[in-house]
Amino acid sequence: MIRATGFCIFVAFSLTSLSCTREEAPAVADPRSHDYFSFANTDQFVTQHLNLELTVDFEAEELRGSATLQIRRIENDASEIILDTRDITIEATSFVQTSGEMLKAEHRIGETHSIMGTPLFVKVPADIRNEEKFTLRLDYRTSPKSTALQWLPAELTAGLEHPFLFSQSQAIHARSWIPLQDTPAVRITYTAKIHTPPELLALMSADNDPGAERDGTYEFEMPQPIPSYLLAIAVGNIYFAPIGDETGVYSEPELLEASAFEFADTQTMLETAEAMFGPYQWGRYDLLILPPSFPFGGMENPRLSFLTPSLLAGDRSLVSVVAHELAHSWSGNLVTNATWRDGWLNEGWTSYLEHRLMQVIYSEARADEENLLDYRELLLNFETVNPAMQALAPTLEHGDPDDFQGIIHYHKGNLFLQYLEKAFGRDVFDVFIGEYFRDFAFGTITSEQFLDYLDENLLSAYPGKINREQVKQWLYAPGLPDYALIPTSRNLDTAAEMAALWSSGEIDITDVPSAGWSPQAMRHFINSLDSDLSTERLNELDAALGLSATSNAEIGRTWFIQVAQRQHRPAYEQLEQHLRRYGRTRLVRPVYVALAQNGLDLELAKEIFAEVREVYHPLTNISIESAFSRIQETGN
Ligand code: BES
Ligand code: ZN
């Protein structure tokens, strides 16, 4: 099955024809009340608790066992529960009666939708129909194709000896490893018992015990209610190193020391975040460093953020990703977007809080640099995203939640909150932040509920500063309002000036004071070079600054995008190494795109991808494939 981007959805294995058919998620009149990306009838039933008992089978590449859901009926006559699944085999369904006796249930499997997966319908038998709460047990197996799970052979791990499994449930992949109501609008607590090969350790987004005995059976509890996209599991040759009293890092032993060094500031981050945003509600905060194919920079699985090893730069220069994932413990995990269309409430808020943390823990200058780089990415993004989707809270009727928004939710959301902070003053806004997290704690919220809350607590409470229409412009209009605050950074301005002076030949490369620059300044310097530099001058630059040889993944990303755009062939071998070394989508996809778009190298890009793709994550591959098809179809 090919899952496509944007507005056309292709179904490849159509039995009747080879042509692509267009499918749409059901259109619903009011975009505010419905989650387009789930089949679950949450207006009739809601799940409250999940118990998992699963065996991790690396040979079959499957999880096998049961999910037991405690469900509450909210509509009296409702008689059928609809759950989300994808590529899951349901072996049996039964109701567990209060006596403990099992009552076999009748279920049927619905039609598969290319994005949403397959609905599972379970009849609630008459005997149970009057009960307000009941327990449904599903015996099942996942498929090796599960979109949430990556089963890595030993060769793709740091230690090369043991296999590794990790999940990535956001946005709608939890349904490919657990049959459940897969919508952020429903929060559940969970318990789990996981059986693994005895030499491996299992971790979950739950109460991991750093001192757990390695015996192949691991029990977990997540006592705080969480949305389904935060369900997470990892299994591998994983060890623990403490950072502070409540913080630590898990990784393969080969990376443990480097990880403990890189993320040594995590305990300080946690304490700073608590002082600024209110109590941390989750117990411990640990990090898990994954193998290179982990497709994101980080994922905010509660109590245990998952991170890409590409952050191990050796100088702590990429730890804003940790600040980001930690901040999600408030924005996202504590107060959750009700649907993926409201994703800016998770990502925009988190980007804003991330910058606030970076200011305090590192410096205003560093936060300014990162803020300006993000803003530049936002401007580039506006050039490619259709105007209707440039709203923070767009009207959505179909599409794939893995594809839309991204950068806009993050950086436009951040600028919106910086604008509010500026208008009301930091002191007032900080009180608002604390109250917002307190008032909506363990709840879900839509953009419209946020608008009303903001109106009541800031706009109307402090009249004459910002009106509701201005806020609506941020939420519903494309681009940026002309009163947005434009980020600035003295350090990056200097780097850009140096790039102009060196490009025009006014100064030598030895006059560029790059030794004292942050990696962020170096990236801005690279992005600010003249577009028509000769091969010799690019070689000179590369030799002097060591760009192709950089061990900083973000500098590499920036440089190799330029290398590809400029067709700077002397660095193509190292460009290819970059594409083999990293798996995080953000680090590789734009380099492929730049090659494919430079007018000469589409075939080369596809050749490299064909060779390297087996080490990438399926989600990364889908996203690169869809970029190639778009470029082939539209020319860019
Ligand atoms: N929750 C996201 C990752 C994500 C987003 C997964 C959408 C699936 C769908 C995570 O918190 C995130 O934003 N990661 C960023 C970090 C960066 C912005 C600091 C990433 O991976 O690049
Ligand atoms: Zn995020």
Side-chain angles (χ1 to χ4, degrees):
M1 179 163 61
I2 299 171
R3 305 174 61 243
T5 57
F7 295 91
C8 179
I9 295 148
F10 300 89
V11 183
F13 298 154
S14 155
L15 292 177
T16 47
S17 81
L18 287 173
S19 67
C20 111
T21 5
R22 194 173 146 151
E23 266 186 68
E24 285 175 11
V28 172
D30 182 356
R32 293 148 201 202
S33 58
H34 185 78
D35 182 348
Y36 296 103
F37 307 113
S38 169
F39 290 111
N41 51 340
T42 54
D43 46 349
Q44 299 189 313
F45 299 97
V46 287
T47 312
Q48 294 185 311
H49 180 81
L50 160 72
N51 178 248
L52 286 173
E53 172 136 17
L54 294 172
T55 298
V56 180
D57 183 337
F58 279 97
E59 247 144 67
E61 299 192 342
E62 71 179 27
L63 298 178
R64 216 175 19 247
S66 63
T68 304
L69 304 173
Q70 285 172 20
I71 296 175
R72 189 164 70 86
R73 179 210 320 281
I74 43 181
E75 194 184 287
N76 268 339
D77 299 322
S79 59
E80 193 171 54
I81 301 167
I82 311 173
L83 299 177
D84 294 296
T85 75
R86 180 189 293 135
D87 298 325
I88 275 183
T89 307
I90 300 290
E91 259 135 23
T93 56
S94 43
F95 288 93
V96 189
Q97 291 177 299
T98 16
S99 62
E101 241 173 88
M102 306 283 273
L103 190 67
K104 208 172 156 349
E106 227 179 277
H107 71 260
R108 93 193 139 81
I109 310 257
E111 219 176 284
T112 297
H113 181 279
S114 62
I115 288 172
M116 304 221 301
T118 313
L120 168 69
F121 301 86
V122 186
K123 280 246 168 337
V124 184
D127 312 17
I128 290 188
R129 222 168 269 176
N130 301 326
E131 286 172 33
E132 200 201 324
K133 286 187 188 176
F134 48 86
T135 303
L136 170 62
R137 171 174 159 145
L138 306 125
D139 290 279
Y140 72 101
R141 266 183 296 121
T142 62
S143 142
K145 281 196 315 190
S146 163
T147 53
L149 302 178
Q150 193 176 22
W151 298 88
L152 290 170
E155 308 87 84
L156 299 184
T157 65
L160 304 169
E161 251 180 66
H162 301 277
F164 203 107
L165 163 71
F166 66 84
S167 67
Q168 169 55 43
S169 297
Q170 194 186 1
I172 56 169
H173 303 289
R175 64 190 66 175
S176 76
W177 66 288
I178 308 169
L180 79 182
Q181 297 185 309
D182 195 10
T183 165
V186 172
R187 301 180 83 93
I188 53 173
T189 52
Y190 79 89
T191 42
K193 192 173 198 180
I194 306 292
H195 305 278
T196 71
E199 66 282 10
L200 302 184
L201 179 70
L203 298 171
M204 291 191 82
S205 50
D207 61 341
N208 299 294
D209 172 7
E213 195 192 329
R214 300 170 91 86
D215 59 2
T217 300
Y218 304 96
E219 293 195 45
F220 301 93
E221 183 181 9
M222 170 45 88
Q224 288 89 358
I226 59 164
S228 57
Y229 74 91
L230 295 177
L231 288 159
I233 186 169
V235 179
N237 187 37
I238 301 171
Y239 286 81
F240 176 80
I243 294 176
D245 287 347
E246 288 102 25
T247 50
V249 60
Y250 289 94
S251 76
E252 288 185 72
E254 293 76 6
L255 299 179
L256 203 52
E257 205 183 312
S259 301
F261 173 83
E262 201 79 34
F263 306 118
D265 294 330
T266 307
Q267 178 74 27
T268 313
M269 281 189 185
L270 174 62
E271 288 164 14
T272 310
E274 279 208 275
M276 291 170 71
F277 318 141
Y280 177 78
Q281 306 261 17
W282 307 91
R284 293 190 56 84
Y285 180 68
D286 294 313
L287 307 172
L288 169 64
I289 315 309
L290 289 145
S293 66
F294 183 63
F296 297 105
M299 176 64 212
E300 65 272 28
N301 297 317
R303 297 177 184 225
L304 183 68
S305 288
F306 283 21
L307 296 176
T308 165
S310 69
L311 303 183
L312 298 170
D315 60 0
R316 303 180 183 158
S317 60
L318 302 178
V319 297
S320 60
V321 176
V322 179
H324 180 98
E325 304 315 332
L326 169 65
H328 270 305
S329 307
W330 288 264
S331 46
N333 299 6
L334 188 61
V335 180
T336 307
N337 53 209
T339 79
W340 296 114
R341 167 256 179 191
D342 303 295
W344 76 275
L345 287 166
N346 281 17
E347 298 301 346
W349 261 105
T350 299
S351 299
Y352 170 77
L353 299 180
E354 168 199 331
H355 286 114
R356 293 290 305 270
L357 284 175
M358 294 304 288
Q359 284 175 354
V360 177
I361 299 164
Y362 299 96
S363 65
E364 296 257 347
R366 175 156 175 191
D368 287 350
E369 291 177 0
E370 290 175 349
N371 207 26
L372 178 55
L373 289 178
D374 287 351
Y375 170 68
R376 300 258 305 210
E377 282 183 22
L378 176 63
L379 294 186
L380 285 177
N381 195 250
F382 282 143
E383 289 173 18
T384 65
V385 174
N386 93 46
M389 293 302 284
Q390 294 181 13
L392 275 182
T395 304
L396 276 188
E397 282 178 3
H398 42 80
D400 182 338
D402 279 345
D403 289 333
F404 61 79
Q405 294 304 77
I407 301 285
I408 288 167
H409 274 166
Y410 288 80
H411 305 324
K412 183 171 172 179
N414 170 42
L415 291 182
F416 169 46
L417 294 162
Q418 290 182 349
Y419 158 79
L420 292 177
E421 181 202 307
K422 184 80 198 282
F424 293 97
R426 184 167 276 192
D427 290 349
V428 169
F429 196 62
D430 280 353
V431 173
F432 174 80
I433 294 175
E435 288 175 350
Y436 170 64
F437 290 133
R438 193 195 59 206
D439 290 350
F440 290 98
F442 298 108
T444 56
I445 178 171
T446 62
S447 301
E448 286 65 32
Q449 282 170 292
F450 180 79
L451 174 62
D452 289 342
Y453 183 82
L454 179 72
D455 198 344
E456 194 179 324
N457 293 282
L458 277 182
L459 311 188
S460 305
Y462 300 87
K465 296 196 188 307
I466 289 181
N467 61 46
R468 198 173 163 102
E469 284 315 303
Q470 285 169 307
V471 174
K472 282 170 119 176
Q473 193 177 352
W474 283 96
L475 293 182
Y476 305 122
L480 288 176
D482 40 12
Y483 42 81
L485 299 178
I486 306 305
T488 53
S489 154
R490 291 254 303 275
N491 293 349
L492 295 202
D493 287 350
T494 308
E497 279 160 30
M498 291 295 150
L501 291 173
W502 179 78
S503 295
S504 62
E506 284 163 76
I507 58 170
D508 280 348
I509 196 66
T510 46
D511 300 328
V512 174
S514 60
W517 284 356
S518 65
Q520 289 73 14
M522 185 61 86
R523 285 162 60 195
H524 197 63
F525 174 83
I526 297 168
N527 279 334
S528 308
L529 296 165
D530 274 8
S531 56
D532 57 355
L533 296 170
S534 68
T535 305
E536 290 69 41
R537 299 215 70 211
L538 288 170
N539 282 338
E540 184 201 348
L541 183 78
D542 193 0
L545 302 181
L547 297 177
S548 290
T550 182
S551 54
N552 184 294
E554 288 284 344
I555 294 179
R557 171 185 189 269
T558 308
W559 168 242
F560 290 117
I561 291 173
Q562 291 292 326
V563 165
Q565 284 175 346
R566 296 166 188 263
Q567 298 171 11
H568 180 58
R569 293 188 192 276
Y572 271 26
E573 211 179 296
Q574 278 128 320
L575 174 149
E576 204 175 317
Q577 275 166 22
H578 172 93
L579 295 174
R580 287 179 192 278
R581 175 168 172 194
Y582 299 112
R584 179 182 176 190
T585 313
R586 169 183 161 81
L587 296 176
V588 294
R589 184 181 189 271
V591 178
Y592 284 109
V593 168
L595 274 182
Q597 286 177 333
N598 78 4
L600 281 181
D601 292 320
L602 174 62
E603 285 316 310
L604 175 65
K606 286 168 115 180
E607 268 166 41
I608 300 175
F609 177 58
E611 269 182 39
V612 189
R613 61 173 300 153
E614 67 184 34
V615 310
Y616 293 156
H617 192 277
L619 292 178
T620 307
N621 286 334
I622 289 167
S623 135
I624 295 170
E625 276 162 5
S626 78
F628 283 155
S629 347
R630 190 200 66 218
I631 292 164
Q632 260 168 323
E633 275 161 33
T634 67
N636 87 61

